[in-house]
Amino acid sequence: MKTMREALDISAYLVVGPENTQGRPVRDIVRAALRAEFTCVQIRSKEASAREMIDLLRGAAEEIAAAGASERVALLADDRLDVVLAARNLGVKVDGVHVGQSDIPPEICRAYLGQAAVVGLSARTDELISYVRDTDTGAIDYFGAGPLHETATKPDCGRDAQGNIITRSFAELEELAASSPIPVVVGGGVKVSDIPNLAKTGVAGFFVVSAVAGAPDPEKAAAELVAAWRKNREHNS
């Protein structure tokens, strides 16, 4: 049987926390995304305590198991290696962690989580192309890049010397995908209307927060994104 690291599919990637759900339970949003055949789930919260994060991961893991997807949908935690280790010790099936530039280094995450785990890294926003080309990717499985558009769910994303948020053009993402030795997933305000152009760039997938978690009908929104991605990737393959 493949490890989750070997089976990793980041084509349709949900990032969600209690700040994003319009007051609805996080696990309900996860369930909706799974019904729409999302392939990866990341629990991210800058407000939840460690215990709350463990509970959020447990709920998400239960939804993934109920969908029969525990061997093909990766469950990750943003930033919190400590939470992943604690949750695993409590019997929660958490597959790995996603870290940023100021978080625990990915090689440390790999050392603690083992070779079968998934470790993702947010790519630097400045000098992006050279960064992904030159970074040692031995400990990581994919890069997260963006934002495609300015978005309220990621206020700490990179800024230029004038303080403006750095967004990514489709041409830049095409170069990024060609330059990166590992898969790239792109997010930051991604909408259904972006999918045709995003699919042409050669990136491995898209990640969304508000487009699903904030939608009036999360399952419908998620299904539209997945359908658009599959249609356009098939067209461009």
Side-chain angles (χ1 to χ4, degrees), residues 4 41-43 53-62 64 70 73-78 80-98 113 116-118:
M4 186 55 74
V41 175
Q42 179 192 133
I43 301 299
M53 281 288 290
I54 291 169
D55 287 341
L56 291 169
L57 288 164
R58 180 181 288 110
E62 288 172 355
I64 292 170
S70 294
V73 173
L75 175 60
L76 312 177
D78 178 63
R80 301 295 301 273
L81 175 62
D82 58 334
V83 167
V84 175
L85 292 169
R88 285 182 162 197
N89 194 52
L90 292 169
V92 181
K93 187 181 182 298
V94 186
D95 299 297
V97 66
H98 181 93
L113 296 177
V118 176

Side-chain angles (χ1 to χ4, degrees), residues 17 19 30 85 99 114 171 207 229:
E19 301 97 311
V30 172
L85 292 169
V99 292
F207 70 84
W229 178 261

Side-chain angles (χ1 to χ4, degrees), residues 169-228:
S169 69
F170 292 115
E172 190 174 22
L173 292 172
E174 185 173 1
E175 185 180 357
L176 174 65
S179 301
S180 177
I182 57 174
V184 177
V185 62
V186 176
V190 171
K191 303 178 291 295
V192 171
S193 59
D194 295 315
I195 296 295
N197 285 325
L198 190 59
K200 292 177 184 177
T201 66
V203 299
F206 63 88
F207 70 84
V208 291
V209 185
S210 300
V212 170
D217 186 337
E219 185 175 346
K220 180 174 182 288
E224 289 174 351
L225 286 159
V226 169

